[in-house]
Amino acid sequence: MSTDQKLAGKTALITGASKGLGKAMALAFADHGADVIIASRKLDNCEAVAEECRALGRKALAISAHVGKWPDCDRLIEAAYAAF
């Protein structure tokens, strides 16, 4: 766990965050103090990453969204604003 909290009070929305580089970015943002919105097509995978972020003491929202589909993007934005 990082003691660097330069991102405290910030929120990061990360797409493709359920695995690979997206997951690494979500965890890094959380480790440095940011709350995170974890978005990907598979909700179960998003929730697993969100739990890891919460374990770092951050607020995390998991949401299923396919960013290639406008209705999913609209839903993602609305959920992000509502939660944060």
Side-chain angles (χ1 to χ4, degrees):
M1 180 182 219
S2 173
T3 58
D4 173 8
Q5 295 294 297
K6 289 182 182 178
L7 298 177
K10 305 289 184 185
T11 302
L13 188 156
I14 303 146
T15 61
S18 67
K19 61 182 179 179
L21 289 174
K23 177 181 177 180
M25 285 186 269
L27 293 172
F29 273 102
D31 194 37
H32 289 279
D35 294 326
V36 291
I37 300 158
I38 315 297
S40 186
R41 290 181 283 173
K42 298 190 188 271
L43 184 58
D44 290 345
N45 294 348
C46 292
E47 190 56 53
V49 176
E51 281 300 319
E52 290 185 59
C53 293
R54 291 181 195 119
L56 295 171
R58 308 309 329 144
K59 185 176 177 184
L61 171 68
I63 188 160
S64 173
H66 185 303
V67 296
K69 297 180 180 180
W70 284 114
D72 279 16
C73 291
D74 290 338
R75 189 172 44 78
L76 172 60
I77 292 165
E78 289 170 11
Y81 275 107
F84 293 90

